[in-house]
Amino acid sequence: MERPTMNLRRHASLRQLEVFEAIARLGSFKRAAQTLHVTQPTVSMQIRKLSEAVGMPLFEQVGKRVYLTDAGRSLYESCREMFGSLERFEMDVANMKGLTQGRLRLGVVTTAKYFAPRLLGGFCERYPGVDASLKVTNRERVLERLQSNEDDLYIFGQPPAGVDVEAVPFLRNPLVALAPPGHPLAGRAGVPLAELGEYPFLAREPGSGTRLAVERLCDEHGVTLRVRMELGSNEAIKQSVAAGMGVSVLSEHTLAGGGEEVAVLDLEGFPIERHWYLVYPAGKQLSVAARAFMDYLLAEGARMAESGVSEIPRSPQGGWPVGPAADREPPGPEGRS
Ligand code: PGA
């Protein structure tokens, strides 16, 4: 009797399994089609053929959502093992080829867009064979990407606490309090933090690392902010502060380009001292390109990113700080981060 695996090997293609894995991971045919840059009918056809080869349905639809059947769940497990092993094989080959070819996928939180492109640009100049991609998105989404292992490395303003990760600090990330020039708090020295709560505050969106850090400081000091508006962009906040709509707190990196007229306040507890971290899942085998990027970031990237805004903390020996655990900020009150 023919073994069932033989049937699958003969009738299913790697592409079909890739499509299947993407749907199972993303929980949607539509998102899988977008991620793989194919149409939804193509995705549906691939899954129909794969189900025929398996001889059982792989998904079931309840309302608008798709769920894995038992057979689908089992195939998903096999796919993850298989793709993991193929990735390791690709890494071995990349090792054999050195850095003449390779891929680097970097996922970063919104505020890192002020320096990450420059770092990646410098790296690509040094290693033109590496095909690099940069995904800039909100902290919650970067967390999801990390959990589903979509990129090689991530940049966070605070390493996620609920997930087992390696986190390497590589650059200071001071958060500063801002007000429009001429504001009653501007130009005063040693303003008590409580006074921040007396003015309309412009907050980043829920889930933002900047927001979490501000909330933590205010919670610690029993200060309640009067949030006037939530904005999902540092630039929109800067412009709104400059336009006199309120006070806010942003990473000092956002001020690097100049432009808007804003005053940095001398407020108790500020700047909030934080770091940027290069993060990856604990135990993940880094590709050659990812390891090279990490070395690059620690040795040279920090100097480029600093642009006179933030200094890189050096160890007493003069080296770059490595070894995350001790330096990690305590988990925030939100529990998850
Ligand atoms: P954010 O993250 O862009 O999500 O605020 C930056 C940070 O954590 O400092």
Side-chain angles (χ1 to χ4, degrees):
M1 201 180 95
E2 192 181 43
R3 289 192 298 155
T5 49
M6 294 303 289
N7 192 36
L8 194 58
R9 244 187 277 170
R10 199 172 306 144
H11 297 291
S13 70
L14 205 53
R15 182 63 173 165
Q16 287 165 3
L17 293 174
E18 192 187 16
V19 169
F20 166 78
E21 191 273 340
I23 300 168
R25 175 164 42 84
L26 300 168
S28 134
F29 278 54
K30 189 172 163 195
R31 282 180 71 187
Q34 284 164 348
T35 304
L36 298 172
H37 305 293
V38 294
T39 64
Q40 233 173 297
T42 306
V43 164
S44 304
M45 191 185 61
Q46 300 278 28
I47 293 304
R48 198 167 47 248
K49 286 188 181 163
L50 184 61
S51 303
E52 278 166 22
V54 171
M56 291 179 88
L58 300 168
F59 295 103
E60 58 194 0
Q61 182 131 14
V62 180
K64 285 192 172 166
R65 296 199 52 189
V66 283
Y67 295 89
L68 285 168
T69 59
D70 286 348
R73 247 192 307 277
S74 170
L75 182 60
Y76 184 45
E77 285 289 303
S78 304
C79 279
R80 291 190 74 106
E81 274 170 34
M82 204 169 63
F83 289 139
S85 132
L86 279 177
E87 234 170 65
R88 283 193 290 281
F89 166 72
E90 282 181 341
M91 250 181 249
D92 286 348
V93 173
N95 258 331
M96 292 171 208
K97 290 178 182 165
L99 276 164
T100 54
Q101 280 177 21
R103 196 172 50 155
L104 175 68
R105 291 160 303 185
L106 191 61
V108 309
V109 294
T110 320
T111 307
K113 77 164 188 191
Y114 289 92
F115 59 86
R118 263 179 299 155
L119 291 171
L120 205 53
F123 178 76
C124 290
E125 231 168 76
R126 181 179 291 185
Y127 301 108
V130 175
D131 185 10
S133 72
L134 175 67
K135 181 77 188 171
V136 182
T137 183
N138 154 303
R139 178 182 166 87
E140 289 289 325
R141 181 70 195 110
V142 182
L143 262 172
E144 281 170 29
R145 293 181 71 89
L146 178 133
Q147 280 166 322
S148 51
N149 199 20
E150 287 181 51
D151 308 280
D152 298 298
L153 292 169
Y154 302 87
I155 294 178
F156 279 92
Q158 182 182 317
V163 196
D164 197 11
V165 293
E166 298 291 340
V168 184
F170 65 93
L171 180 67
R172 276 183 66 222
N173 176 24
L175 302 189
V176 291
L178 305 173
H183 188 275
L185 298 184
R188 278 178 53 199
V191 179
L193 183 63
E195 290 192 34
L196 191 66
E198 293 173 11
Y199 298 91
F201 189 85
L202 307 174
R204 279 284 306 273
E205 78 284 4
S208 139
T210 307
R211 179 177 170 137
L212 293 174
V214 179
E215 284 176 351
R216 184 184 312 157
L217 181 75
C218 289
D219 282 353
E220 279 167 10
H221 291 81
V223 173
T224 307
L225 294 174
R226 281 171 45 196
V227 177
R228 176 180 196 180
M229 217 191 288
E230 282 179 358
L231 295 146
S233 133
N234 293 313
E235 287 304 309
I237 288 186
K238 255 194 313 176
Q239 285 179 21
S240 304
V241 169
M245 295 179 69
V247 294
S248 190
V249 172
L250 291 179
S251 165
E252 197 181 53
H253 288 281
T254 65
L255 304 180
E260 296 77 18
E261 282 275 303
V262 290
V264 175
L265 303 180
D266 181 358
L267 197 63
E268 178 194 13
F270 281 85
I272 303 178
E273 283 297 344
R274 307 174 73 225
H275 286 93
W276 290 110
Y277 294 83
L278 201 56
V279 174
Y280 58 94
K284 181 177 170 84
Q285 232 180 315
L286 292 183
S287 68
V288 183
R291 231 173 296 134
F293 182 67
M294 196 152 142
D295 290 346
Y296 177 82
L297 206 62
L298 292 173
E300 277 193 56
R303 184 176 51 77
M304 287 176 55
E306 135 187 317
S307 277
V309 177
S310 294
E311 276 177 45
I312 317 304
R314 288 171 185 265
S315 72
Q317 294 77 32
W320 304 108
V322 190
D327 293 339
R328 259 188 227 178
E329 298 164 41
E334 77 290 354
R336 185 166 174 199
S337 302

